[in-house]
Amino acid sequence: MNTLALLGGDPLIKKKLQPYVVTGREELEAVKKVMKKGVFSAYIAAAGDSFMGGEGVKEFEQKAADFFGVRHAIAVNSWTSGLICAVGATGIEPGEEIITTPWTMSATATSILHWNAIPVFADIDSDTFNIDPLKVEKLINERTRAILAVDIFGQSADMKALHEIAEKYNLKLISDCAQSPGALYKNNYAGTQADIGGFSLNYHKHIHCGEGGILVTNDDYLARKLCLIRNHAEAVIDSNEAEDLSNMLGYNFRMGEIEAAIATSQLNKLQQSVKSRQDAAKQLNEGLQSLRGIDTPLVGQDCTHAYYVYGLKIDLKLLGVSRNKIVQALKAEGVPALMEGYANIHRLPLFKNKIAYGIKGFPWTSSFYKGEVDYELGSCPIAEDLHQNTFLGVLLTMFDFNKTDTSYVIEAFHKVWSNIELLRKL
Ligand SMILES: *Cc1c(COP(=O)(O)O)cnc(C)c1O
């Protein structure tokens, strides 16, 4: 009965776990209303009221601004678009640098390249997986324009330290909180502590409206720039207006009315859905803590964690077995949503080979860029070791992870751990 499924035994989890679904009647009713009205987007790329979008978009933005406690919430059609707006709004010049983390989704870093600026990667903290402020400070030079921190997996980066650095060197601070809506940092919502923050509303994120994103800021000037970049800036700027016209290449990053209606319904449930992930994480913590060689997630004193990902570290030396064998064994027992490593963005071919635009190394080889950036192996040793060897994650927003299902997952870990000797010999 205790034979590993990997070795031909019965899998501990026999049926597929329930998917995580937060969508219900509220979304259906909200979408019906939009369908009846028959206007699915009410944006116009010209000065006037419709420049800021339709009724549903405006309602969602108002709700989001109230919820997160910010002056401005600005809806976009994805968080990738949101990041591009945010970087552009800083007024960045081609060849300037933004310091970010390699432990994130690629869009964090590519948003910088979209403005012909250069991403520089600072290594992460091995306990929280967030960007390490000490490493950030070491990378600052006269080209540095901003810090783009990521509240990875659902927990805020060390915003106090990052703020101090940003202030000291006169840098803008952007927070990619794609994975952390509803998480708190010193009793404020993640994302609201930066010059510009924001969230993804994509599938598997805490709020899922199809595709979408929401920017948050307390800065009126930045908010105006974000809105301009979102909607074909140059089309509406009156040349007599005393505007800052840099980075005003227009995009269409506009959210539609159906997505806005769904997102509004989901925002009402955000606290409840974050709580449900926190409950699952708590249960996992309690169930896994007795296993040797496994570190459950560390939650900082100033933080609550939204648990988009439940991130573990395994002590391979102590266990004497590779992560891959453990993952294979857990998968065979039916544990879903496992992440064997996460991301080393600096090692993507795009960066490694510096082939963002064409094949001639632009923007790194451009005469606008006076620096030399290191994307080599060894430049972010902690993120590299975690990715290659010791990080094991569970994507908590993929499956329901109700009490029963989670207890099966815990049992599966125990089963694998009680067979570690055997795995070692495989
Ligand atoms: C999902 C994600 C993004 C991109 O968001 P989209 O809405 O999918 O464009 C950016 N950064 C991080 C950290 C993410 O997890």
Side-chain angles (χ1 to χ4, degrees):
M1 190 201 135
N2 199 30
T3 309
L4 286 173
L6 188 67
L7 303 174
D10 270 349
L12 203 142
I13 302 171
K14 294 191 178 60
K15 59 177 207 273
K16 249 186 129 213
L17 297 197
Q18 314 264 357
Y20 179 53
V21 181
V22 292
T23 312
R25 279 183 67 96
E26 302 85 346
E27 285 80 357
L28 192 63
E29 293 306 319
V31 170
K32 264 195 209 158
K33 252 196 219 163
V34 182
M35 295 300 282
K36 272 195 191 139
K37 204 172 157 205
V39 179
F40 305 136
S41 177
Y43 271 103
I44 296 176
D49 208 31
S50 298
F51 176 69
M52 300 296 265
E55 242 175 71
V57 165
K58 285 177 186 158
E59 187 194 335
F60 173 53
E61 291 180 334
Q62 188 55 54
K63 279 234 158 115
D66 292 345
F67 180 90
F68 291 110
V70 288
R71 285 175 62 80
H72 306 277
I74 296 155
V76 280
N77 62 356
S78 77
W79 178 233
T80 301
S81 305
L83 284 165
I84 294 173
C85 289
V87 172
T90 66
I92 192 154
E93 289 290 324
E96 287 185 336
E97 296 177 348
I98 292 186
I99 300 172
T100 191
T101 162
W103 191 259
T104 183
M105 193 248 157
S106 60
T108 312
T110 53
S111 69
I112 301 164
L113 283 172
H114 280 292
W115 296 99
N116 300 314
I118 308 292
V120 175
F121 295 100
D123 208 356
I124 58 174
D125 177 276
S126 66
D127 290 323
T128 64
F129 311 112
N130 276 319
I131 198 168
D132 179 346
L134 294 173
K135 309 271 170 55
V136 170
E137 190 158 12
K138 287 204 182 104
L139 292 167
I140 293 172
N141 60 51
E142 70 281 2
R143 290 177 297 279
T144 312
R145 166 68 63 140
I147 302 166
L148 204 181
V150 180
D151 291 359
I152 203 71
F153 298 160
Q155 168 169 230
S156 278
D158 184 348
M159 295 307 286
K160 181 168 179 282
L162 291 172
H163 254 295
E164 281 166 9
I165 294 169
E167 223 155 83
K168 183 168 164 192
Y169 297 95
N170 191 25
L171 308 174
K172 285 276 184 267
L173 181 54
I174 303 171
S175 264
D176 176 345
C177 300
Q179 306 180 358
S180 58
L184 295 172
Y185 178 83
K186 289 188 194 283
N187 290 320
N188 292 299
Y189 280 116
T192 63
Q193 303 303 292
D195 293 301
I196 304 171
F199 315 98
S200 169
L201 314 175
N202 180 19
Y203 193 29
H204 294 317
K205 298 285 159 77
H206 285 286
I207 300 176
H208 157 46
C209 72
E211 300 288 349
I214 182 94
L215 289 145
V216 289
T217 182
N218 284 308
D219 183 313
D220 297 346
Y221 171 79
L222 291 174
R224 165 86 176 144
K225 290 201 87 169
L226 294 170
C227 290
L228 285 166
I229 296 170
R230 164 175 75 175
N231 189 8
H232 303 287
E234 76 287 353
V236 292
I237 294 171
D238 180 341
S239 52
N240 297 321
E241 226 178 310
E243 285 271 4
D244 170 6
L245 291 174
S246 71
N247 292 348
M248 286 297 120
L249 268 179
Y251 290 94
N252 175 349
F253 288 156
R254 308 176 311 205
M255 177 185 271
E257 291 290 289
I258 292 178
E259 288 89 343
I262 298 173
T264 304
S265 309
Q266 299 223 332
L267 189 59
N268 293 331
K269 309 178 192 171
L270 178 61
Q271 270 162 329
Q272 183 193 325
S273 47
V274 166
K275 170 78 169 48
S276 78
R277 301 307 84 188
Q278 289 170 337
D279 289 345
K282 184 159 175 269
Q283 196 184 342
L284 286 167
N285 284 342
E286 284 162 5
L288 300 181
Q289 69 183 2
S290 63
L291 297 177
R292 16 181 258 125
I294 196 164
D295 286 343
T296 53
L298 185 119
V299 182
Q301 226 182 341
D302 296 324
C303 300
T304 67
H305 201 310
Y307 291 107
Y308 172 71
V309 167
Y310 182 82
L312 298 166
K313 283 191 297 185
I314 37 187
D315 188 335
L316 301 172
K317 268 201 205 114
L318 186 94
L319 296 173
V321 56
S322 74
R323 177 182 62 188
N324 183 256
K325 278 188 198 157
I326 292 173
V327 168
Q328 291 313 320
L330 287 167
K331 272 190 181 160
E333 297 303 334
V335 178
L338 288 170
M339 302 157 69
E340 191 178 352
Y342 181 55
N344 276 185
I345 298 300
H346 62 306
R347 299 302 292 155
L348 291 179
L350 164 71
F351 292 106
K352 203 167 69 174
N353 304 327
K354 298 185 175 165
I355 44 168
Y357 294 94
I359 55 165
K360 294 177 189 154
F362 187 86
W364 295 275
T365 51
S366 134
S367 61
F368 285 84
Y369 186 49
K370 304 282 192 273
E372 183 91 43
V373 61
D374 183 4
Y375 300 139
E376 294 306 309
L377 217 49
S379 59
C380 296
I382 292 172
E384 289 162 17
D385 183 49
L386 284 164
H387 183 51
Q388 287 161 18
N389 303 307
T390 58
F391 177 80
L392 174 61
V394 184
L395 194 47
L396 279 195
T397 51
M398 284 264 281
F399 293 90
D400 192 36
F401 289 103
N402 57 43
K403 265 212 160 73
T404 314
D405 286 356
T406 307
S407 66
Y408 278 125
V409 170
I410 292 165
E411 264 186 69
F413 268 84
H414 278 266
K415 183 177 171 187
V416 169
W417 252 249
S418 68
N419 283 286
I420 282 285
E421 302 278 335
L422 260 180
L423 280 181
R424 205 175 290 152
K425 289 190 206 119
L426 280 187

